[in-house]
Amino acid sequence: DIDTGAQVCNLLWASNVNEIVSTHGYQHNNIIIWKYPKLSTVATLTGHQSRVLWLAGSPDGQTIVTGAADETLRFWSVFPPAKPSRASTPNSALSLSIALSNIR
């Protein structure tokens, strides 16, 4: 168990960096990034004046957006770009594309 000291409103798993993002309400109204599996605090983001009600991650995994009861959206650039996988190299991508076209 982790006592965050504030109401937990949302959780988001950032699998590219093995971290968890949590948003909070009363009394801190903040966003915390946790390193998994230690669950040590990586960063605490502040700026919202009210409970952070909404959290979403960008498709590229680098940015999160939060929405709060203070009627604001905030965009946070928090994660590095994903490391290219071997499947994203030109030759592998071509092989994958050919394999998929053979299935159809």
Side-chain angles (χ1 to χ4, degrees):
D1 292 351
I2 301 273
D3 182 4
T4 64
Q7 176 185 67
V8 177
C9 300
N10 296 283
L11 295 170
L12 174 74
W13 191 277
S15 58
N16 289 342
V17 289
N18 219 26
E19 294 174 350
I20 299 169
V21 180
S22 61
T23 69
H24 302 273
Y26 182 80
Q27 69 196 29
H28 302 294
N29 305 318
N30 60 6
I31 299 104
I32 301 176
I33 301 172
W34 308 87
K35 188 67 175 172
Y36 183 83
K38 290 183 179 181
L39 296 178
S40 55
T41 303
V42 174
T44 300
L45 310 174
T46 60
H48 284 294
Q49 301 302 311
S50 298
R51 181 181 354 180
V52 185
L53 298 168
W54 307 104
L55 168 67
S58 64
D60 66 6
Q62 295 180 56
T63 304
I64 60 172
V65 59
T66 55
D70 61 10
E71 300 180 358
T72 63
L73 293 175
R74 293 187 184 270
F75 293 82
W76 312 85
S77 180
V78 292
F79 299 115
K83 294 178 184 175
S85 67
R86 292 194 312 208
S88 67
T89 61
N91 291 339
S92 297
L94 180 59
S95 298
L96 179 61
S97 151
I98 293 169
L100 288 176
S101 64
N102 290 336
I103 293 170
R104 298 174 190 203

